[in-house]
Amino acid sequence: MDIEEAEKAWKIFSELEKLYEIKSYTEKEYNNWWSFLTTTIKRWDKNGFITPTILREEFTKAVDRSIKQLEKQIEEL
């Protein structure tokens, strides 16, 4: 593996680590309500937009798909 491939692998592993962390939180909090926050809607007295169940389900599926894509990229290196 050359330096360029190693840097690419490092970036992929970094992204994969973030996704695993998100997956862990979503699994722990699946039955609780989720909110969507951005810098413009986050306020001390508000919790952002409450996320509907169907969106939570689709989000968790998207995280799983993203993990699989990154794992495949790692295998291809």
Side-chain angles (χ1 to χ4, degrees), residues 36-53:
F36 179 77
L37 299 175
T38 68
T39 55
T40 57
I41 62 172
K42 182 181 178 190
R43 299 189 182 22
W44 291 109
D45 61 338
K46 299 197 186 229
N47 294 319
F49 297 111
I50 298 202
T51 308
T53 302

Side-chain angles (χ1 to χ4, degrees), residues 5 11 14 26 30 37 40-41 44 48-49 56 61 68 75:
E5 286 177 327
K11 289 178 183 177
S14 177
T26 57
Y30 189 78
L37 299 175
T40 57
I41 62 172
W44 291 109
F49 297 111
R56 292 189 324 218
K61 290 175 188 175
K68 286 179 184 176
E75 289 175 7

Side-chain angles (χ1 to χ4, degrees), residues 2-46:
D2 62 21
I3 292 174
E4 193 173 298
E5 286 177 327
E7 288 175 348
K8 186 175 180 180
W10 181 82
K11 289 178 183 177
I12 293 171
F13 275 115
S14 177
E15 291 295 305
L16 193 55
E17 181 180 18
K18 292 173 190 173
L19 286 168
Y20 279 127
E21 185 176 9
I22 291 169
K23 182 177 176 76
S24 174
Y25 280 118
T26 57
E27 288 172 345
K28 290 176 190 172
E29 297 293 332
Y30 189 78
N31 291 323
N32 296 325
W33 63 272
W34 298 1
S35 66
F36 179 77
L37 299 175
T38 68
T39 55
T40 57
I41 62 172
K42 182 181 178 190
R43 299 189 182 22
W44 291 109
D45 61 338
K46 299 197 186 229

